[in-house]
mmCIF file of all heavy atoms in Angstrom:
data_model
loop_
_atom_site.group_PDB
_atom_site.id
_atom_site.type_symbol
_atom_site.label_atom_id
_atom_site.label_comp_id
_atom_site.label_asym_id
_atom_site.label_seq_id
_atom_site.Cartn_x
_atom_site.Cartn_y
_atom_site.Cartn_z
ATOM 1 N N LEU A 46 67.108 86.605 118.887
ATOM 2 C CA LEU A 46 66.168 85.480 118.853
ATOM 3 C C LEU A 46 64.800 85.918 118.335
ATOM 4 O O LEU A 46 64.150 85.189 117.589
ATOM 5 C CB LEU A 46 66.007 84.877 120.256
ATOM 6 C CG LEU A 46 67.142 83.951 120.707
ATOM 7 C CD1 LEU A 46 66.983 83.568 122.170
ATOM 8 C CD2 LEU A 46 67.154 82.686 119.845
ATOM 9 N N VAL A 48 64.151 87.968 116.136
ATOM 10 C CA VAL A 48 64.173 88.121 114.673
ATOM 11 C C VAL A 48 64.434 86.783 113.987
ATOM 12 O O VAL A 48 63.804 86.432 112.994
ATOM 13 C CB VAL A 48 65.267 89.140 114.266
ATOM 14 C CG1 VAL A 48 65.402 89.220 112.760
ATOM 15 C CG2 VAL A 48 64.938 90.511 114.843
ATOM 16 N N MET A 49 65.381 86.013 114.544
ATOM 17 C CA MET A 49 65.868 84.817 113.829
ATOM 18 C C MET A 49 65.043 83.549 114.101
ATOM 19 O O MET A 49 65.040 82.651 113.282
ATOM 20 C CB MET A 49 67.321 84.507 114.240
ATOM 21 C CG MET A 49 68.220 85.714 114.303
ATOM 22 S SD MET A 49 68.791 86.208 112.702
ATOM 23 C CE MET A 49 70.034 84.990 112.446
ATOM 24 N N GLU A 50 64.440 83.448 115.257
ATOM 25 C CA GLU A 50 63.800 82.182 115.627
ATOM 26 C C GLU A 50 62.536 81.961 114.801
ATOM 27 O O GLU A 50 61.564 82.724 114.916
ATOM 28 C CB GLU A 50 63.462 82.227 117.131
ATOM 29 C CG GLU A 50 62.680 81.036 117.635
ATOM 30 C CD GLU A 50 63.362 79.688 117.369
ATOM 31 O OE1 GLU A 50 64.463 79.483 117.885
ATOM 32 O OE2 GLU A 50 62.789 78.856 116.638
ATOM 33 N N PRO A 51 62.527 80.908 113.967
ATOM 34 C CA PRO A 51 61.355 80.710 113.105
ATOM 35 C C PRO A 51 60.153 80.118 113.848
ATOM 36 O O PRO A 51 59.013 80.328 113.445
ATOM 37 C CB PRO A 51 61.860 79.730 112.031
ATOM 38 C CG PRO A 51 63.032 79.041 112.655
ATOM 39 C CD PRO A 51 63.607 79.945 113.695
ATOM 40 N N ASP A 52 60.410 79.376 114.922
ATOM 41 C CA ASP A 52 59.305 78.729 115.631
ATOM 42 C C ASP A 52 58.606 79.756 116.529
ATOM 43 O O ASP A 52 59.220 80.338 117.426
ATOM 44 C CB ASP A 52 59.861 77.571 116.467
ATOM 45 C CG ASP A 52 58.765 76.842 117.213
ATOM 46 O OD1 ASP A 52 58.255 77.394 118.225
ATOM 47 O OD2 ASP A 52 58.405 75.741 116.789
ATOM 48 N N ALA A 53 57.312 79.977 116.287
ATOM 49 C CA ALA A 53 56.606 81.068 116.971
ATOM 50 C C ALA A 53 56.548 80.862 118.489
ATOM 51 O O ALA A 53 56.640 81.827 119.249
ATOM 52 C CB ALA A 53 55.204 81.206 116.406
ATOM 53 N N ARG A 56 59.902 81.605 119.904
ATOM 54 C CA ARG A 56 60.168 83.045 119.803
ATOM 55 C C ARG A 56 59.459 83.789 120.939
ATOM 56 O O ARG A 56 60.040 84.620 121.617
ATOM 57 C CB ARG A 56 59.665 83.531 118.446
ATOM 58 C CG ARG A 56 60.195 84.862 118.019
ATOM 59 C CD ARG A 56 59.961 85.069 116.541
ATOM 60 N NE ARG A 56 58.555 85.189 116.207
ATOM 61 C CZ ARG A 56 57.905 84.430 115.353
ATOM 62 N NH1 ARG A 56 58.535 83.465 114.686
ATOM 63 N NH2 ARG A 56 56.612 84.615 115.116
#
Side-chain angles (χ1 to χ4, degrees):
L46 281 172
V48 175
M49 316 280 283
E50 175 56 62
D52 181 285
R56 197 164 67 237

